[in-house]
Amino acid sequence: MLQLDEGNALGKPLQELFTVRTQSGALPDNLFAYCLQEAKAIEFGENARLQRQGHTLLHVEGMISPLFSNERRVRGGVLTFRNIGPVRQRAMEALAASEQRIREHEVQLAHVGRLHTMGEMASGIAHEINQPLSAILSYSQACLRLLDEPEEEIEFNQLQRAMQAIANQAQRAGSIIHRLRQFITRRPVNIQAISLNQVVGDVLELADHELQRKHVKVQCHLAPDLPLVMADSIQLEQIALNLLRNGMDAVEFMGHLGELTLHTSSDSGMVRLSIADNGKGIAKGDFEKLFQPFFTNKASGMGLGLTICQTIAQSFGGSLKAQNLPHGGANFILSLPIASMNQNDYGHHTPHPNP
């Protein structure tokens, strides 16, 4: 391992052949002399590295031990060490593989969470798609009636407006289906610069029917010049949609008085989205368990929604926290670090208008 032959090693001090360093610093310069003088073994310790003269570092484990005569006098010593580089490499590869499996499991769990959310929203989704389809049918029937009129009585302006309305409604239906397909499709995480305002707008469109059905008012206060964050847009939508639906559940008992407030802001290098409700708030005994797996107050809930959301936030270097508001109700705050690059470096980006 030292790549030395006998002729180049005999008679030379060890420190001229190699040095040993550990996390706590260098071992005594003359290891052998120190060992013989103190008459005790010296272990290299953990994470020791052996520097060969003119060669790369070796990760080693080993020790120097004194040799004693029959009279218990030190008569020499033995230096032993083993190259543990290959062992460390295999351990690092195993650790990397384990971390990859964990990440894949988190992605799978997040996908299951999205499917569960869409399952609960199925009636609303059907209604959202049915609206533009019904409009297309009505406009098409109106066009047919216009075309049945004598040619000289056909109002071409009306016909043109009806055809344009059909195109608009078809585009709307396609947009809804595209967004839903993106949301539930299992796909690799796509980290890019995105706007939380855009995420809020997309999520409010997904949840629009459910908000109307439950008579929940939404107040939006979105910062106009909000910095971008580096994240996966679908996973951020998953967080926002989960928090939005939890807020709806929290105020459902209030009827027409239920209200949610969405607020975006930035400070201290972080971008924040808060979703607050005017419900009863979080019970004191539930705070410690709020983000634990399988904890839920819902009869049909999985108890994984907030756990998944917190894991996603942390994977992007952020956090998800909850608090009770002084005037009543709960507030969930998603914090994410501002993208390190300038917004213009990511190309043209048009923020979603305040919903």
Side-chain angles (χ1 to χ4, degrees):
M1 283 187 283
L2 292 176
Q3 297 182 359
L4 292 169
D5 56 38
E6 185 176 336
N8 290 328
L10 286 174
K12 291 187 178 180
L14 291 182
Q15 64 266 32
E16 291 186 10
L17 305 180
F18 64 87
T19 55
V20 177
R21 300 190 65 84
T22 65
Q23 281 185 325
S24 58
L27 291 172
D29 287 339
N30 195 330
L31 296 171
F32 226 125
Y34 185 81
C35 168
L36 300 182
Q37 180 182 344
E38 298 294 326
K40 64 179 182 182
I42 302 174
E43 290 191 20
F44 290 175
E46 294 184 359
N47 297 316
R49 292 171 297 170
L50 185 143
Q51 174 69 62
R52 302 169 290 174
Q53 296 299 327
H55 296 287
T56 56
L57 288 170
L58 286 178
H59 290 278
V60 297
E61 62 179 6
M63 66 188 304
I64 300 174
S65 302
L67 285 176
F68 297 96
S69 66
N70 292 336
E71 293 79 22
R72 300 301 298 166
R73 294 178 180 173
V74 177
R75 59 185 294 255
V78 177
L79 165 64
T80 59
F81 56 85
R82 181 169 72 101
N83 181 6
I84 61 172
V87 177
R88 285 173 58 91
Q89 181 64 29
R90 288 195 294 271
M92 294 298 292
E93 290 173 355
L95 180 61
S98 177
E99 290 176 345
Q100 178 64 27
R101 286 194 295 271
I102 291 173
R103 285 193 293 270
E104 290 174 355
H105 177 70
E106 289 174 349
V107 170
Q108 291 171 359
L109 198 58
H111 181 234
V112 170
R114 292 199 296 275
L115 290 176
H116 181 77
T117 300
M118 287 294 99
E120 291 182 339
M121 296 175 65
S123 61
I125 293 168
H127 180 82
E128 284 295 313
I129 297 175
N130 188 58
Q131 278 187 328
L133 293 180
S134 298
I136 289 171
L137 177 62
S138 298
Y139 285 124
S140 299
Q141 290 171 338
C143 288
L144 290 173
R145 285 195 297 271
L146 285 171
L147 291 172
D148 283 340
E149 298 291 331
E151 185 174 346
E152 62 275 6
E153 297 182 11
I154 293 178
E155 293 285 345
F156 285 100
N157 288 338
Q158 286 186 337
L159 188 61
Q160 188 177 27
R161 286 197 298 271
M163 295 296 291
Q164 184 60 55
I166 290 173
N168 293 340
Q169 292 297 325
Q171 189 174 23
R172 179 186 169 196
S175 175
I176 293 170
I177 294 170
H178 176 71
R179 183 169 291 113
L180 291 173
R181 185 175 181 180
Q182 274 193 320
F183 190 76
I184 64 175
T185 298
R186 182 179 170 185
R187 65 179 195 17
V189 176
N190 181 24
I191 308 295
Q192 57 183 334
I194 57 176
S195 167
L196 271 181
N197 286 353
Q198 181 74 48
V199 170
V200 170
D202 292 342
V203 165
L204 286 175
E205 286 187 19
L206 278 176
D208 181 61
H209 175 72
E210 195 168 5
L211 287 164
Q212 293 184 37
R213 182 174 62 84
K214 294 183 177 181
H215 308 293
V216 178
K217 298 177 184 176
V218 176
Q219 298 287 336
C220 280
H221 306 284
L222 306 183
D225 299 317
L226 195 69
L228 302 182
V229 297
M230 295 300 292
D232 179 273
S233 61
I234 298 301
Q235 291 196 351
L236 286 194
E237 284 183 20
Q238 183 172 3
I239 295 177
L241 185 59
N242 188 279
L243 298 180
L244 194 70
R245 299 189 70 246
N246 283 352
M248 283 189 270
D249 292 340
V251 300
E252 191 171 11
F253 73 97
M254 301 177 67
H256 291 269
L257 298 178
E259 185 173 292
L260 301 179
T261 302
L262 280 65
H263 182 266
T264 59
S265 62
S266 64
D267 64 82
S268 303
M270 302 294 285
V271 177
R272 292 181 174 84
L273 164 65
S274 68
I275 299 181
D277 64 70
N278 62 340
K280 296 178 180 179
I282 303 167
K284 287 186 177 180
D286 291 346
F287 262 105
E288 292 183 0
K289 302 175 287 184
L290 201 58
F291 295 100
Q292 292 179 2
F294 309 113
F295 172 74
T296 180
N297 290 320
K298 302 177 185 178
S300 60
M302 292 194 303
L304 290 174
L306 288 177
T307 304
I308 293 170
C309 290
Q310 188 181 59
T311 300
I312 292 172
Q314 291 172 347
S315 71
F316 298 136
S319 64
L320 179 62
K321 298 180 180 179
Q323 59 181 200
N324 277 330
L325 298 172
H327 54 274
N331 185 28
F332 285 82
I333 304 169
L334 169 66
S335 301
L336 295 169
I338 294 174
S340 57
M341 297 174 64
N342 187 279
Q343 178 172 335
N344 294 331
D345 294 335
Y346 295 110
H348 180 68
H349 176 79
T350 304
H352 196 283
N354 286 2

